[in-house]
Amino acid sequence: MGGISGVQCLKGTKKKYLIEEMIKSFKHRGNQSYIDNSFQDVCFGVRHSQRSLLSQVFAINSAKDLLVIMDGDIFQYPADDSVKNEAIGDAQIILELYQKYGKKFVDMIDGPYSIAIWNNKLKELILVRDRVGAKPIFYLKIKDTVVFSSEIKGILKSGLYEKSVDLNAVDNFLSYWYVPNPMTLFEGIFQVRPGYMMIFKEGRVSEEKYWRYRYEHSDLNKSESYYCEKYYDIFLKAVSRRLKKYPDAGAFLSGGMDSSSVAAAMAKISNSNFKVFSGGFKEKEYNEINDAKIVSDYLGLSHYATIIEFKDNFPNFFEKLVWLHDGPFSDTSAIPSYFASKLAKSEVDVVFTGDFPDQILGGSAHYMKALDRRENDTFLKFFIRNSMINGAVKKLPLSSGTSSFFDKMKRKIYRETFSIEMQQIISNMPVPELMKPCLYSLEMMAVTKKNDPLSYASSLYNEVSNYDLLDRMLYFDTHSYAPDDLMVKVDRMTMAHGLIAISPFHDREFVEFVATLPSFMKIKGREGKYIMRKAMGHLLPEHTLMKTKKGFDMPIDQWLIQKNPTYVKELLLDTRTTSRGYFNKQFLEQLVNNFLNQKTDYASGSSATIISLMTLELFHRVFIDNAA
């Protein structure tokens, strides 16, 4: 694993020099590099770790007319003569499959990957991203030239892009905590969507979807024991496939169900004392290291932990995270992920993670809250839920940015005008729609007037409108939150240290099996991820099964309010920030003061609002103002 970059059809330019600069920009993703300049029309470059063979990430056929580079892993491919015996690496496997099956090769592989293929006979460039979006790949098309890279900073380093911020993407970021694919904050730079391939030929670009996460509830009459036994069998096969390739891997371990299930499965299969890694905080209420220790002792594993604290270096670290993310972020769980990855890399090259089951099995509290809302739905709420009332309330923006009674009533009525699944998104916005007329400048309001961030969520929900509420919500998180927030965090924070991260929960067979599960096997009563507890419980200590889910909570408010209040003010209220013309300076100042005075509220400067605005400004300073 590492990173890839390429340039196609750039006539009269030293393509090899461009690639050298591009892959140098993300040298943290791998300590080895290779550049191929065999063709007149393209130049490809890869970064990879010293432990991996070049054929893992690069392959060219004997006729010298097909070239493949990739970032990631292939854990499944046809067990027949489709792949010749000399295929010793994943890129070589892809090359063999592509030669035999063409673009259909992607139906026969599974794993986290981003792939680039150059077909010199057809003069065709193909970019492919894995089904769930675990590995990133971005592209820029300028006339007949295509530039692509695993990280946006690679495209910026090509020197071919004139930096410009997409203000509609800014609006979307402040609505979702992240920029929904395929957009990025850079106007003209896009990401390949999960489960898609992009084809560039003769100056034209086309997009093909090769996989869709489909619910298949054809037989709901099976017993609980049937589903649990099948879950257990498929999950252990997923772990086994990955252990076969990485027998010396360690694992992240938080002490929760997800990471503990992975560690337990690894222990059962490998029967070895491997290493597990945890991150925690000095503040006891945020420290789950003891929970992880209980699991590691129960399984007989070697446990390593790091305590995360900051003195006066938090501002510099915050800026570094923005650089690693290629943009702003609101998910502060990136902080413990970064330090846990740093610890793990000091001991191993590969870690197994527990990412993704919340989004496919209903493990987060907001799913239960939505189901409760459905159970308590009333005729009045149903009557309010229409576009006319929504439009009328939306014309009444928050008056003060404080917790006034009237502002609270507006927010409550506004939320109730949406479907239950949309209410979760409305409630979770860093900058609520009702706040935007107060926070945004008149110029920003004019630019984003035609942009409707909520239409993105509506379009995904409409794809599964015939399914029940839980499946609709999981579908959105599987296609949006997971690839655009969760997996971005995991990829960037592990790759920051050249650490390979593998989640068995991304396994195609496992994901497609979960799509067949009835809702009661995902959430039963108040118990999320019900089937996981039933299927994996016999491998885990009672403490883990009874533990309340916390996620990666952290004392971010304490770090900012108590230790870095000057930094918050200097960053958000600086002339450099306010002169960008995005925000109403007076209202922004009120939000900052509310936050620092700990008067946080949905409409008065919550930590999510402040962190989103801070990282947005840092994005401009790192990538737009400077040469990055």
Side-chain angles (χ1 to χ4, degrees):
M1 282 196 180
I4 62 176
S5 286
V7 179
Q8 182 224 344
C9 204
L10 188 66
K11 297 176 182 178
T13 304
K14 295 179 180 178
K15 293 188 284 292
K16 185 176 181 181
Y17 171 76
L18 294 186
I19 297 299
E20 286 174 350
E21 292 300 304
M22 290 172 71
I23 64 175
K24 193 185 297 181
S25 71
F26 51 80
K27 60 184 179 182
H28 48 274
R29 296 185 75 95
N31 53 16
Q32 301 291 306
S33 64
Y34 182 80
I35 296 174
D36 184 90
N37 198 26
S38 303
F39 302 98
Q40 181 180 355
D41 297 313
V42 299
C43 185
F44 283 1
V46 295
R47 293 209 76 93
H48 63 105
S49 62
Q50 193 169 9
R51 72 187 301 279
S52 63
L53 297 167
L54 183 60
S55 61
Q56 172 76 10
V57 296
F58 168 84
I60 189 168
N61 67 342
S62 57
K64 305 291 185 184
D65 57 12
L66 286 177
L67 182 63
V68 173
I69 57 173
M70 69 168 291
D71 169 30
D73 284 286
I74 305 299
F75 293 118
Q76 277 186 292
Y77 56 90
D80 55 27
D81 62 356
S82 299
V83 179
K84 298 177 182 177
N85 292 331
E86 61 264 28
I88 56 173
D90 289 352
Q92 185 68 35
I93 289 170
I94 292 165
L95 179 67
E96 299 285 349
L97 291 173
Y98 177 76
Q99 286 186 123
K100 185 167 184 178
Y101 299 104
K103 297 184 186 74
K104 293 292 184 183
F105 84 92
V106 75
D107 297 330
M108 305 171 187
I109 62 172
D110 182 39
Y113 52 75
S114 58
I115 300 167
I117 300 173
W118 172 248
N119 187 323
N120 200 51
K121 285 184 178 179
L122 300 177
K123 301 297 180 183
E124 183 175 78
L125 171 66
I126 304 170
L127 303 179
V128 188
R129 192 175 179 194
D130 66 77
R131 291 172 177 81
V132 299
K135 303 304 294 183
I137 184 165
F138 302 90
Y139 67 91
L140 166 70
K141 186 178 183 301
I142 310 173
K143 297 181 180 178
D144 293 337
T145 297
V146 179
V147 189
F148 66 87
S149 185
S150 292
E151 295 192 7
I152 293 177
K153 60 181 67 70
I155 295 176
L156 300 183
K157 271 294 184 180
S158 72
L160 301 174
Y161 178 68
E162 187 174 341
K163 289 180 286 187
S164 177
V165 178
D166 187 332
L167 295 185
N168 286 329
V170 170
D171 190 34
N172 290 344
F173 166 70
L174 294 174
S175 300
Y176 286 100
W177 304 59
Y178 53 84
V179 181
N181 68 80
M183 297 177 77
T184 73
L185 278 186
F186 295 91
E187 191 170 20
I189 297 179
F190 300 94
Q191 51 181 316
V192 179
R193 295 194 281 175
Y196 278 80
M197 65 172 63
M198 305 297 300
I199 300 129
F200 304 88
K201 185 176 181 179
E202 297 176 347
R204 297 189 301 271
V205 56
S206 60
E207 183 182 49
E208 293 183 10
K209 188 171 184 66
Y210 68 86
W211 185 81
R212 182 182 296 276
Y213 182 64
R214 297 181 184 276
Y215 292 117
E216 298 288 348
H217 300 326
S218 56
D219 189 355
L220 301 181
N221 298 318
K222 302 292 185 180
S223 64
E224 277 193 13
S225 60
Y226 166 83
Y227 288 119
C228 290
E229 288 170 11
K230 196 167 182 181
Y231 179 104
Y232 181 77
D233 177 61
I234 292 174
F235 184 64
L236 258 64
K237 283 196 294 182
V239 174
S240 180
R241 280 190 277 265
R242 285 150 181 79
L243 273 176
K244 183 179 180 180
K245 187 169 188 177
Y246 295 115
D248 299 324
F252 286 150
L253 183 61
S254 68
M257 274 294 301
D258 303 345
S259 61
S260 298
S261 293
V262 172
M266 291 172 69
K268 182 172 181 61
I269 293 166
S270 66
N271 196 28
S272 64
N273 178 16
F274 57 90
K275 300 173 180 179
V276 292
F277 307 93
S278 307
F281 303 95
K282 188 171 64 174
E283 294 82 359
K284 290 183 179 179
E285 64 269 31
Y286 298 101
N287 197 339
E288 296 185 276
I289 289 177
N290 288 337
D291 294 321
K293 183 80 164 57
I294 289 171
V295 177
S296 64
D297 288 348
Y298 184 83
L299 298 175
L301 306 176
S302 299
H303 183 230
Y304 296 74
T306 182
I307 297 292
I308 303 160
E309 59 178 324
F310 294 96
K311 294 180 181 178
D312 57 358
N313 62 332
F314 184 72
N316 290 337
F317 176 70
F318 219 41
E319 184 173 315
K320 183 176 184 178
L321 289 190
V322 170
W323 182 80
L324 288 168
H325 277 84
D326 280 336
F329 66 93
S330 300
D331 190 344
T332 53
S333 64
I335 296 171
S337 297
Y338 176 91
F339 287 102
S341 298
K342 183 178 181 180
L343 171 66
K345 182 59 180 178
S346 68
E347 298 289 334
V348 297
D349 291 318
V350 183
V351 289
F352 283 26
T353 78
D355 300 302
F356 203 39
D358 280 345
Q359 291 75 50
I360 56 177
L361 289 172
S364 298
H366 71 266
Y367 300 121
M368 267 76 84
K369 290 179 181 177
L371 295 176
D372 286 345
R373 283 197 201 113
R374 182 185 62 184
E375 293 300 316
N376 298 314
D377 213 7
T378 64
F379 176 77
L380 176 60
K381 290 180 179 180
F382 182 80
F383 174 76
I384 292 174
R385 207 169 292 147
N386 69 69
S387 58
M388 287 183 63
I389 297 178
N390 174 271
V393 177
K394 193 173 181 180
K395 292 178 181 178
L396 301 171
L398 303 177
S399 57
S400 59
T402 61
S403 300
S404 71
F405 172 77
F406 291 108
D407 279 351
K408 287 181 178 179
M409 286 301 297
K410 290 175 199 170
R411 298 197 314 263
K412 182 174 179 60
I413 296 172
Y414 177 71
R415 187 191 70 188
E416 292 295 342
T417 62
F418 290 90
S419 64
I420 294 175
E421 58 265 35
M422 287 293 289
Q423 289 180 24
Q424 167 59 26
I425 294 171
I426 300 297
S427 300
N428 225 21
M429 286 178 146
V431 177
E433 288 294 288
L434 292 182
M435 185 195 286
K436 288 178 180 177
C438 302
L439 176 63
Y440 284 4
S441 66
L442 293 177
E443 294 81 5
M444 186 69 169
M445 284 298 295
V447 170
T448 60
K449 185 177 182 180
K450 293 183 179 179
N451 183 56
D452 179 11
L454 297 179
S455 65
Y456 171 76
S458 297
S459 65
L460 283 175
Y461 284 133
N462 287 338
E463 291 178 8
V464 285
S465 58
N466 294 328
Y467 292 88
D468 69 20
L469 174 62
L470 178 59
D471 279 346
R472 294 198 301 272
M473 296 183 70
L474 294 173
Y475 187 84
F476 174 83
D477 282 349
T478 299
H479 287 75
S480 185
Y481 168 75
D484 293 332
D485 183 303
L486 173 66
M487 294 177 201
V488 173
K489 174 195 71 177
V490 174
D491 176 80
R492 303 308 193 278
M493 296 303 96
T494 54
M495 282 282 99
H497 307 284
L499 179 69
I500 297 172
I502 302 292
S503 176
F505 292 109
H506 292 166
D507 183 84
R508 179 183 180 180
E509 183 182 8
F510 178 81
V511 171
E512 291 181 347
F513 162 70
V514 167
T516 70
L517 292 174
S519 291
F520 68 81
M521 292 302 297
K522 300 171 186 175
I523 294 179
K524 193 166 188 178
R526 300 296 300 170
E527 193 171 348
K529 292 180 290 196
Y530 177 75
I531 189 172
M532 181 187 290
R533 296 175 185 274
K534 287 292 183 180
M536 304 300 295
H538 65 288
L539 298 180
L540 297 170
E542 185 71 16
H543 175 85
T544 305
L545 299 175
M546 301 301 294
K547 179 178 177 290
T548 303
K549 179 178 176 61
K550 286 185 67 177
F552 249 149
D553 290 339
M554 67 201 69
I556 189 73
D557 285 14
Q558 295 179 35
W559 293 343
L560 293 176
I561 296 171
Q562 297 176 15
K563 298 181 181 180
N564 295 279
T566 303
Y567 173 59
V568 177
K569 274 198 169 185
E570 287 180 349
L571 182 62
L572 289 182
L573 302 181
D574 179 63
T575 305
R576 192 172 169 188
T577 305
T578 56
S579 64
R580 298 194 192 281
Y582 296 170
F583 306 122
N584 179 315
K585 183 179 179 180
Q586 184 178 357
F587 191 85
L588 179 61
E589 186 172 359
Q590 190 172 357
L591 288 184
V592 171
N593 289 332
N594 285 338
F595 173 71
L596 294 178
N597 292 325
Q598 300 187 56
K599 296 178 180 178
T600 56
D601 184 76
Y602 178 78
S604 59
S606 69
S607 58
T609 309
I610 297 301
I611 290 165
S612 298
L613 294 173
M614 289 176 69
T615 58
L616 178 63
E617 175 56 25
L618 287 174
F619 157 75
H620 282 79
R621 297 189 181 193
V622 171
F623 289 104
I624 305 302
D625 299 348
N626 301 325

